[in-house]
PDB file of all heavy atoms in Angstrom:
ATOM      1  N   VAL A 167      68.075  97.649 112.757  1.00 98.00           N
ATOM      2  CA  VAL A 167      69.072  97.732 111.692  1.00 98.00           C
ATOM      3  C   VAL A 167      68.804  98.932 110.796  1.00 98.00           C
ATOM      4  O   VAL A 167      67.655  99.310 110.554  1.00 98.00           O
ATOM      5  CB  VAL A 167      69.095  96.436 110.850  1.00 98.00           C
ATOM      6  CG1 VAL A 167      69.758  95.300 111.614  1.00 98.00           C
ATOM      7  CG2 VAL A 167      67.700  96.010 110.408  1.00 98.00           C
ATOM      8  N   TRP A 168      69.884  99.489 110.296  1.00 98.00           N
ATOM      9  CA  TRP A 168      69.862 100.584 109.335  1.00 98.00           C
ATOM     10  C   TRP A 168      70.725 100.154 108.153  1.00 98.00           C
ATOM     11  O   TRP A 168      71.848  99.668 108.347  1.00 98.00           O
ATOM     12  CB  TRP A 168      70.458 101.852 109.933  1.00 98.00           C
ATOM     13  CG  TRP A 168      69.748 102.444 111.108  1.00 98.00           C
ATOM     14  CD1 TRP A 168      68.931 103.534 111.116  1.00 98.00           C
ATOM     15  CD2 TRP A 168      69.834 102.005 112.482  1.00 98.00           C
ATOM     16  NE1 TRP A 168      68.501 103.807 112.397  1.00 98.00           N
ATOM     17  CE2 TRP A 168      69.025 102.882 113.253  1.00 98.00           C
ATOM     18  CE3 TRP A 168      70.489 100.971 113.138  1.00 98.00           C
ATOM     19  CZ2 TRP A 168      68.878 102.746 114.623  1.00 98.00           C
ATOM     20  CZ3 TRP A 168      70.334 100.828 114.505  1.00 98.00           C
ATOM     21  CH2 TRP A 168      69.536 101.703 115.240  1.00 98.00           C
ATOM     22  N   ALA A 169      70.253 100.318 106.941  1.00 99.00           N
ATOM     23  CA  ALA A 169      70.984  99.783 105.783  1.00 99.00           C
ATOM     24  C   ALA A 169      70.985 100.776 104.635  1.00 99.00           C
ATOM     25  O   ALA A 169      70.088 101.617 104.505  1.00 99.00           O
ATOM     26  CB  ALA A 169      70.361  98.464 105.323  1.00 99.00           C
ATOM     27  N   VAL A 170      72.011 100.635 103.770  1.00 99.00           N
ATOM     28  CA  VAL A 170      72.094 101.439 102.549  1.00 99.00           C
ATOM     29  C   VAL A 170      72.494 100.532 101.393  1.00 99.00           C
ATOM     30  O   VAL A 170      73.285  99.599 101.554  1.00 99.00           O
ATOM     31  CB  VAL A 170      73.091 102.607 102.707  1.00 99.00           C
ATOM     32  CG1 VAL A 170      74.514 102.102 102.944  1.00 99.00           C
ATOM     33  CG2 VAL A 170      73.041 103.529 101.489  1.00 99.00           C
ATOM     34  N   HIS A 171      71.910 100.802 100.233  1.00 99.00           N
ATOM     35  CA  HIS A 171      72.266 100.136  98.982  1.00 99.00           C
ATOM     36  C   HIS A 171      72.385 101.203  97.907  1.00 99.00           C
ATOM     37  O   HIS A 171      71.546 102.108  97.816  1.00 99.00           O
ATOM     38  CB  HIS A 171      71.182  99.130  98.572  1.00 99.00           C
ATOM     39  CG  HIS A 171      71.337  98.632  97.165  1.00 99.00           C
ATOM     40  ND1 HIS A 171      72.226  97.655  96.813  1.00 99.00           N
ATOM     41  CD2 HIS A 171      70.721  99.019  96.006  1.00 99.00           C
ATOM     42  CE1 HIS A 171      72.154  97.436  95.509  1.00 99.00           C
ATOM     43  NE2 HIS A 171      71.259  98.248  94.991  1.00 99.00           N
ATOM     44  N   LEU A 172      73.418 101.095  97.084  1.00 99.00           N
ATOM     45  CA  LEU A 172      73.593 102.035  95.981  1.00 99.00           C
ATOM     46  C   LEU A 172      73.043 101.415  94.706  1.00 99.00           C
ATOM     47  O   LEU A 172      73.487 100.350  94.275  1.00 99.00           O
ATOM     48  CB  LEU A 172      75.072 102.393  95.791  1.00 99.00           C
ATOM     49  CG  LEU A 172      75.314 103.558  94.837  1.00 99.00           C
ATOM     50  CD1 LEU A 172      74.820 104.874  95.444  1.00 99.00           C
ATOM     51  CD2 LEU A 172      76.794 103.666  94.467  1.00 99.00           C
ATOM     52  N   ALA A 173      72.058 102.081  94.110  1.00 98.00           N
ATOM     53  CA  ALA A 173      71.413 101.594  92.887  1.00 98.00           C
ATOM     54  C   ALA A 173      72.295 101.963  91.695  1.00 98.00           C
ATOM     55  O   ALA A 173      71.993 102.872  90.916  1.00 98.00           O
ATOM     56  CB  ALA A 173      70.015 102.186  92.745  1.00 98.00           C
ATOM     57  N   TRP A 174      73.373 101.207  91.547  1.00 98.00           N
ATOM     58  CA  TRP A 174      74.397 101.543  90.561  1.00 98.00           C
ATOM     59  C   TRP A 174      75.151 100.280  90.192  1.00 98.00           C
ATOM     60  O   TRP A 174      75.438  99.447  91.047  1.00 98.00           O
ATOM     61  CB  TRP A 174      75.344 102.581  91.141  1.00 98.00           C
ATOM     62  CG  TRP A 174      76.448 103.056  90.243  1.00 98.00           C
ATOM     63  CD1 TRP A 174      77.788 102.920  90.443  1.00 98.00           C
ATOM     64  CD2 TRP A 174      76.322 103.786  89.011  1.00 98.00           C
ATOM     65  NE1 TRP A 174      78.502 103.504  89.429  1.00 98.00           N
ATOM     66  CE2 TRP A 174      77.616 104.043  88.532  1.00 98.00           C
ATOM     67  CE3 TRP A 174      75.233 104.235  88.273  1.00 98.00           C
ATOM     68  CZ2 TRP A 174      77.854 104.732  87.338  1.00 98.00           C
ATOM     69  CZ3 TRP A 174      75.465 104.918  87.082  1.00 98.00           C
ATOM     70  CH2 TRP A 174      76.761 105.168  86.631  1.00 98.00           C
ATOM     71  N   SER A 175      75.502 100.140  88.910  1.00 98.00           N
ATOM     72  CA  SER A 175      76.049  98.892  88.399  1.00 98.00           C
ATOM     73  C   SER A 175      77.533  98.974  88.104  1.00 98.00           C
ATOM     74  O   SER A 175      78.037  98.276  87.222  1.00 98.00           O
ATOM     75  CB  SER A 175      75.289  98.488  87.128  1.00 98.00           C
ATOM     76  OG  SER A 175      73.906  98.434  87.364  1.00 98.00           O
ATOM     77  N   ALA A 176      78.249  99.809  88.834  1.00 98.00           N
ATOM     78  CA  ALA A 176      79.685  99.936  88.580  1.00 98.00           C
ATOM     79  C   ALA A 176      80.391 100.332  89.877  1.00 98.00           C
ATOM     80  O   ALA A 176      79.942 100.005  90.972  1.00 98.00           O
ATOM     81  CB  ALA A 176      79.932 100.939  87.458  1.00 98.00           C
ATOM     82  N   ASP A 177      81.495 101.057  89.742  1.00 98.00           N
ATOM     83  CA  ASP A 177      82.349 101.358  90.886  1.00 98.00           C
ATOM     84  C   ASP A 177      81.577 102.110  91.965  1.00 98.00           C
ATOM     85  O   ASP A 177      80.815 103.042  91.669  1.00 98.00           O
ATOM     86  CB  ASP A 177      83.541 102.196  90.434  1.00 98.00           C
ATOM     87  CG  ASP A 177      84.440 101.443  89.467  1.00 98.00           C
ATOM     88  OD1 ASP A 177      84.221 100.240  89.273  1.00 98.00           O
ATOM     89  OD2 ASP A 177      85.355 102.069  88.905  1.00 98.00           O
ATOM     90  N   ALA A 178      81.810 101.720  93.210  1.00 98.00           N
ATOM     91  CA  ALA A 178      81.020 102.267  94.309  1.00 98.00           C
ATOM     92  C   ALA A 178      81.849 102.353  95.580  1.00 98.00           C
ATOM     93  O   ALA A 178      82.860 101.664  95.740  1.00 98.00           O
ATOM     94  CB  ALA A 178      79.780 101.406  94.557  1.00 98.00           C
ATOM     95  N   VAL A 179      81.381 103.195  96.482  1.00 98.00           N
ATOM     96  CA  VAL A 179      81.932 103.320  97.829  1.00 98.00           C
ATOM     97  C   VAL A 179      80.797 103.125  98.822  1.00 98.00           C
ATOM     98  O   VAL A 179      79.747 103.779  98.715  1.00 98.00           O
ATOM     99  CB  VAL A 179      82.562 104.709  98.049  1.00 98.00           C
ATOM    100  CG1 VAL A 179      82.985 104.875  99.506  1.00 98.00           C
ATOM    101  CG2 VAL A 179      83.753 104.921  97.140  1.00 98.00           C
ATOM    102  N   TYR A 180      81.001 102.214  99.764  1.00 98.00           N
ATOM    103  CA  TYR A 180      80.118 102.095 100.926  1.00 98.00           C
ATOM    104  C   TYR A 180      80.929 102.519 102.140  1.00 98.00           C
ATOM    105  O   TYR A 180      82.085 102.117 102.291  1.00 98.00           O
ATOM    106  CB  TYR A 180      79.620 100.657 101.088  1.00 98.00           C
ATOM    107  CG  TYR A 180      78.548 100.270 100.091  1.00 98.00           C
ATOM    108  CD1 TYR A 180      78.867  99.980  98.770  1.00 98.00           C
ATOM    109  CD2 TYR A 180      77.213 100.194 100.475  1.00 98.00           C
ATOM    110  CE1 TYR A 180      77.891  99.626  97.850  1.00 98.00           C
ATOM    111  CE2 TYR A 180      76.222  99.837  99.565  1.00 98.00           C
ATOM    112  CZ  TYR A 180      76.565  99.556  98.247  1.00 98.00           C
ATOM    113  OH  TYR A 180      75.591  99.208  97.354  1.00 98.00           O
ATOM    114  N   ARG A 181      80.348 103.311 103.028  1.00 98.00           N
ATOM    115  CA  ARG A 181      81.134 103.965 104.067  1.00 98.00           C
ATOM    116  C   ARG A 181      80.410 103.992 105.400  1.00 98.00           C
ATOM    117  O   ARG A 181      79.177 104.090 105.461  1.00 98.00           O
ATOM    118  CB  ARG A 181      81.448 105.388 103.647  1.00 98.00           C
ATOM    119  CG  ARG A 181      80.168 106.091 103.235  1.00 98.00           C
ATOM    120  CD  ARG A 181      80.163 107.524 103.063  1.00 98.00           C
ATOM    121  NE  ARG A 181      80.638 108.350 104.115  1.00 98.00           N
ATOM    122  CZ  ARG A 181      80.838 109.655 103.955  1.00 98.00           C
ATOM    123  NH1 ARG A 181      80.604 110.206 102.785  1.00 98.00           N
ATOM    124  NH2 ARG A 181      81.257 110.390 104.939  1.00 98.00           N
ATOM    125  N   THR A 182      81.180 103.883 106.449  1.00 98.00           N
ATOM    126  CA  THR A 182      80.700 104.216 107.787  1.00 98.00           C
ATOM    127  C   THR A 182      81.684 105.221 108.374  1.00 98.00           C
ATOM    128  O   THR A 182      82.898 105.098 108.184  1.00 98.00           O
ATOM    129  CB  THR A 182      80.615 102.987 108.710  1.00 98.00           C
ATOM    130  OG1 THR A 182      81.900 102.354 108.792  1.00 98.00           O
ATOM    131  CG2 THR A 182      79.593 101.996 108.203  1.00 98.00           C
ATOM    132  N   ASP A 183      81.152 106.210 109.064  1.00 97.00           N
ATOM    133  CA  ASP A 183      81.969 107.207 109.759  1.00 97.00           C
ATOM    134  C   ASP A 183      81.497 107.241 111.209  1.00 97.00           C
ATOM    135  O   ASP A 183      80.303 107.460 111.474  1.00 97.00           O
ATOM    136  CB  ASP A 183      81.788 108.598 109.144  1.00 97.00           C
ATOM    137  CG  ASP A 183      82.166 108.659 107.678  1.00 97.00           C
ATOM    138  OD1 ASP A 183      81.365 108.215 106.834  1.00 97.00           O
ATOM    139  OD2 ASP A 183      83.262 109.157 107.373  1.00 97.00           O
ATOM    140  N   ARG A 184      82.422 107.022 112.106  1.00 96.00           N
ATOM    141  CA  ARG A 184      82.106 107.074 113.543  1.00 96.00           C
ATOM    142  C   ARG A 184      83.218 107.897 114.198  1.00 96.00           C
ATOM    143  O   ARG A 184      84.290 107.382 114.524  1.00 96.00           O
ATOM    144  CB  ARG A 184      82.028 105.666 114.116  1.00 96.00           C
ATOM    145  CG  ARG A 184      81.431 105.564 115.518  1.00 96.00           C
ATOM    146  CD  ARG A 184      81.374 104.088 115.941  1.00 96.00           C
ATOM    147  NE  ARG A 184      80.737 103.881 117.219  1.00 96.00           N
ATOM    148  CZ  ARG A 184      79.428 103.637 117.385  1.00 96.00           C
ATOM    149  NH1 ARG A 184      78.648 103.556 116.320  1.00 96.00           N
ATOM    150  NH2 ARG A 184      78.918 103.459 118.587  1.00 96.00           N
ATOM    151  N   LEU A 185      82.968 109.177 114.352  1.00 93.00           N
ATOM    152  CA  LEU A 185      83.989 110.104 114.806  1.00 93.00           C
ATOM    153  C   LEU A 185      83.696 110.573 116.230  1.00 93.00           C
ATOM    154  O   LEU A 185      82.526 110.740 116.605  1.00 93.00           O
ATOM    155  CB  LEU A 185      84.060 111.321 113.880  1.00 93.00           C
ATOM    156  CG  LEU A 185      84.292 111.028 112.383  1.00 93.00           C
ATOM    157  CD1 LEU A 185      84.488 112.334 111.631  1.00 93.00           C
ATOM    158  CD2 LEU A 185      85.475 110.112 112.184  1.00 93.00           C
ATOM    159  N   PRO A 186      84.742 110.822 117.015  1.00 91.00           N
ATOM    160  CA  PRO A 186      84.507 111.276 118.398  1.00 91.00           C
ATOM    161  C   PRO A 186      83.718 112.573 118.477  1.00 91.00           C
ATOM    162  O   PRO A 186      82.978 112.806 119.431  1.00 91.00           O
ATOM    163  CB  PRO A 186      85.928 111.458 118.945  1.00 91.00           C
ATOM    164  CG  PRO A 186      86.795 110.594 118.089  1.00 91.00           C
ATOM    165  CD  PRO A 186      86.165 110.603 116.736  1.00 91.00           C
ATOM    166  N   GLU A 187      83.854 113.426 117.453  1.00 84.00           N
ATOM    167  CA  GLU A 187      83.179 114.733 117.511  1.00 84.00           C
ATOM    168  C   GLU A 187      81.745 114.713 117.015  1.00 84.00           C
ATOM    169  O   GLU A 187      81.054 115.732 117.108  1.00 84.00           O
ATOM    170  CB  GLU A 187      83.945 115.756 116.659  1.00 84.00           C
ATOM    171  CG  GLU A 187      85.369 116.003 117.076  1.00 84.00           C
ATOM    172  CD  GLU A 187      86.345 115.051 116.414  1.00 84.00           C
ATOM    173  OE1 GLU A 187      85.886 114.092 115.759  1.00 84.00           O
ATOM    174  OE2 GLU A 187      87.548 115.269 116.566  1.00 84.00           O
ATOM    175  N   GLY A 188      81.295 113.612 116.425  1.00 76.00           N
ATOM    176  CA  GLY A 188      79.986 113.686 115.787  1.00 76.00           C
ATOM    177  C   GLY A 188      79.243 112.387 115.847  1.00 76.00           C
ATOM    178  O   GLY A 188      79.666 111.414 116.466  1.00 76.00           O
ATOM    179  N   ARG A 189      78.118 112.348 115.168  1.00 84.00           N
ATOM    180  CA  ARG A 189      77.280 111.160 115.139  1.00 84.00           C
ATOM    181  C   ARG A 189      77.809 110.163 114.118  1.00 84.00           C
ATOM    182  O   ARG A 189      78.564 110.508 113.220  1.00 84.00           O
ATOM    183  CB  ARG A 189      75.847 111.571 114.809  1.00 84.00           C
ATOM    184  CG  ARG A 189      75.253 112.536 115.846  1.00 84.00           C
ATOM    185  CD  ARG A 189      74.068 113.298 115.298  1.00 84.00           C
ATOM    186  NE  ARG A 189      72.919 112.424 115.071  1.00 84.00           N
ATOM    187  CZ  ARG A 189      71.797 112.826 114.472  1.00 84.00           C
ATOM    188  NH1 ARG A 189      71.698 114.077 114.043  1.00 84.00           N
ATOM    189  NH2 ARG A 189      70.785 111.999 114.308  1.00 84.00           N
ATOM    190  N   SER A 190      77.384 108.926 114.274  1.00 93.00           N
ATOM    191  CA  SER A 190      77.760 107.896 113.306  1.00 93.00           C
ATOM    192  C   SER A 190      77.004 108.127 112.007  1.00 93.00           C
ATOM    193  O   SER A 190      75.838 108.531 112.006  1.00 93.00           O
ATOM    194  CB  SER A 190      77.433 106.510 113.858  1.00 93.00           C
ATOM    195  OG  SER A 190      78.167 106.255 115.038  1.00 93.00           O
ATOM    196  N   VAL A 191      77.671 107.829 110.897  1.00 97.00           N
ATOM    197  CA  VAL A 191      77.108 108.077 109.575  1.00 97.00           C
ATOM    198  C   VAL A 191      77.233 106.809 108.741  1.00 97.00           C
ATOM    199  O   VAL A 191      78.247 106.108 108.792  1.00 97.00           O
ATOM    200  CB  VAL A 191      77.833 109.258 108.883  1.00 97.00           C
ATOM    201  CG1 VAL A 191      77.550 109.287 107.399  1.00 97.00           C
ATOM    202  CG2 VAL A 191      77.416 110.571 109.516  1.00 97.00           C
ATOM    203  N   LEU A 192      76.183 106.520 107.979  1.00 98.00           N
ATOM    204  CA  LEU A 192      76.162 105.424 107.019  1.00 98.00           C
ATOM    205  C   LEU A 192      75.913 106.040 105.651  1.00 98.00           C
ATOM    206  O   LEU A 192      75.051 106.934 105.519  1.00 98.00           O
ATOM    207  CB  LEU A 192      75.041 104.454 107.375  1.00 98.00           C
ATOM    208  CG  LEU A 192      74.877 103.188 106.539  1.00 98.00           C
ATOM    209  CD1 LEU A 192      76.056 102.252 106.747  1.00 98.00           C
ATOM    210  CD2 LEU A 192      73.576 102.483 106.915  1.00 98.00           C
ATOM    211  N   GLY A 193      76.625 105.566 104.631  1.00 98.00           N
ATOM    212  CA  GLY A 193      76.409 106.178 103.326  1.00 98.00           C
ATOM    213  C   GLY A 193      76.990 105.369 102.190  1.00 98.00           C
ATOM    214  O   GLY A 193      77.656 104.345 102.379  1.00 98.00           O
ATOM    215  N   ALA A 194      76.727 105.848 100.977  1.00 98.00           N
ATOM    216  CA  ALA A 194      77.215 105.187  99.766  1.00 98.00           C
ATOM    217  C   ALA A 194      77.233 106.202  98.636  1.00 98.00           C
ATOM    218  O   ALA A 194      76.487 107.186  98.643  1.00 98.00           O
ATOM    219  CB  ALA A 194      76.342 103.993  99.394  1.00 98.00           C
ATOM    220  N   GLY A 195      78.079 105.935  97.661  1.00 98.00           N
ATOM    221  CA  GLY A 195      78.145 106.799  96.493  1.00 98.00           C
ATOM    222  C   GLY A 195      78.947 106.152  95.394  1.00 98.00           C
ATOM    223  O   GLY A 195      79.623 105.131  95.588  1.00 98.00           O
ATOM    224  N   GLU A 196      78.880 106.747  94.217  1.00 98.00           N
ATOM    225  CA  GLU A 196      79.672 106.256  93.097  1.00 98.00           C
ATOM    226  C   GLU A 196      81.138 106.556  93.349  1.00 98.00           C
ATOM    227  O   GLU A 196      81.497 107.654  93.795  1.00 98.00           O
ATOM    228  CB  GLU A 196      79.207 106.928  91.797  1.00 98.00           C
ATOM    229  CG  GLU A 196      79.965 106.466  90.567  1.00 98.00           C
ATOM    230  CD  GLU A 196      79.522 107.171  89.296  1.00 98.00           C
ATOM    231  OE1 GLU A 196      78.560 107.957  89.341  1.00 98.00           O
ATOM    232  OE2 GLU A 196      80.175 106.936  88.245  1.00 98.00           O
ATOM    233  N   LEU A 197      82.005 105.584  93.066  1.00 98.00           N
ATOM    234  CA  LEU A 197      83.443 105.814  93.132  1.00 98.00           C
ATOM    235  C   LEU A 197      83.880 106.416  91.800  1.00 98.00           C
ATOM    236  O   LEU A 197      83.763 105.783  90.748  1.00 98.00           O
ATOM    237  CB  LEU A 197      84.184 104.506  93.414  1.00 98.00           C
ATOM    238  CG  LEU A 197      85.677 104.618  93.719  1.00 98.00           C
ATOM    239  CD1 LEU A 197      86.134 103.448  94.571  1.00 98.00           C
ATOM    240  CD2 LEU A 197      86.534 104.677  92.450  1.00 98.00           C
ATOM    241  N   LEU A 198      84.356 107.639  91.869  1.00 98.00           N
ATOM    242  CA  LEU A 198      84.755 108.360  90.659  1.00 98.00           C
ATOM    243  C   LEU A 198      86.270 108.381  90.552  1.00 98.00           C
ATOM    244  O   LEU A 198      86.979 108.624  91.536  1.00 98.00           O
ATOM    245  CB  LEU A 198      84.208 109.787  90.688  1.00 98.00           C
ATOM    246  CG  LEU A 198      82.670 109.889  90.667  1.00 98.00           C
ATOM    247  CD1 LEU A 198      82.223 111.313  90.963  1.00 98.00           C
ATOM    248  CD2 LEU A 198      82.128 109.431  89.315  1.00 98.00           C
ATOM    249  N   ARG A 199      86.781 108.130  89.341  1.00 97.00           N
ATOM    250  CA  ARG A 199      88.220 108.184  89.100  1.00 97.00           C
ATOM    251  C   ARG A 199      88.648 109.645  88.926  1.00 97.00           C
ATOM    252  O   ARG A 199      87.828 110.525  88.650  1.00 97.00           O
ATOM    253  CB  ARG A 199      88.567 107.377  87.850  1.00 97.00           C
ATOM    254  CG  ARG A 199      88.025 105.944  87.825  1.00 97.00           C
ATOM    255  CD  ARG A 199      88.531 105.088  88.970  1.00 97.00           C
ATOM    256  NE  ARG A 199      87.955 103.754  88.974  1.00 97.00           N
ATOM    257  CZ  ARG A 199      88.564 102.665  88.502  1.00 97.00           C
ATOM    258  NH1 ARG A 199      89.757 102.756  87.959  1.00 97.00           N
ATOM    259  NH2 ARG A 199      87.975 101.486  88.579  1.00 97.00           N
ATOM    260  N   PRO A 200      89.938 109.950  89.089  1.00 96.00           N
ATOM    261  CA  PRO A 200      90.403 111.332  88.932  1.00 96.00           C
ATOM    262  C   PRO A 200      89.983 111.943  87.596  1.00 96.00           C
ATOM    263  O   PRO A 200      90.172 111.330  86.535  1.00 96.00           O
ATOM    264  CB  PRO A 200      91.933 111.196  89.038  1.00 96.00           C
ATOM    265  CG  PRO A 200      92.140 109.989  89.895  1.00 96.00           C
ATOM    266  CD  PRO A 200      91.028 109.046  89.507  1.00 96.00           C
ATOM    267  N   ASP A 201      89.384 113.122  87.681  1.00 96.00           N
ATOM    268  CA  ASP A 201      88.940 113.889  86.511  1.00 96.00           C
ATOM    269  C   ASP A 201      87.930 113.136  85.649  1.00 96.00           C
ATOM    270  O   ASP A 201      87.757 113.449  84.467  1.00 96.00           O
ATOM    271  CB  ASP A 201      90.135 114.309  85.639  1.00 96.00           C
ATOM    272  CG  ASP A 201      91.015 115.341  86.322  1.00 96.00           C
ATOM    273  OD1 ASP A 201      90.498 116.079  87.174  1.00 96.00           O
ATOM    274  OD2 ASP A 201      92.221 115.394  86.022  1.00 96.00           O
ATOM    275  N   GLU A 202      87.221 112.171  86.223  1.00 98.00           N
ATOM    276  CA  GLU A 202      86.213 111.442  85.442  1.00 98.00           C
ATOM    277  C   GLU A 202      85.008 112.327  85.140  1.00 98.00           C
ATOM    278  O   GLU A 202      84.435 112.272  84.055  1.00 98.00           O
ATOM    279  CB  GLU A 202      85.770 110.191  86.193  1.00 98.00           C
ATOM    280  CG  GLU A 202      84.815 109.314  85.408  1.00 98.00           C
ATOM    281  CD  GLU A 202      84.649 107.927  86.010  1.00 98.00           C
ATOM    282  OE1 GLU A 202      85.127 107.696  87.132  1.00 98.00           O
ATOM    283  OE2 GLU A 202      84.021 107.075  85.351  1.00 98.00           O
TER     284      GLU A 202
END
């Protein structure tokens, strides 16, 4: 298993990317509102 956790107490994005052209990606980040 491979896992990610975002050490953040508000809006967040957890993501997986599995594209035909590349490797699979696991990630996370803060969800930012427009012009925040």
Side-chain angles (χ1 to χ4, degrees):
V167 286
W168 297 257
V170 63
H171 168 80
L172 191 69
W174 181 242
S175 306
D177 296 352
V179 174
Y180 285 76
R181 51 167 307 170
T182 57
D183 301 78
R184 192 178 184 92
L185 304 186
E187 300 89 351
R189 299 160 68 187
S190 298
V191 164
L192 183 67
E196 181 182 355
L197 189 154
L198 296 169
R199 308 300 177 100
D201 291 334
E202 185 166 10

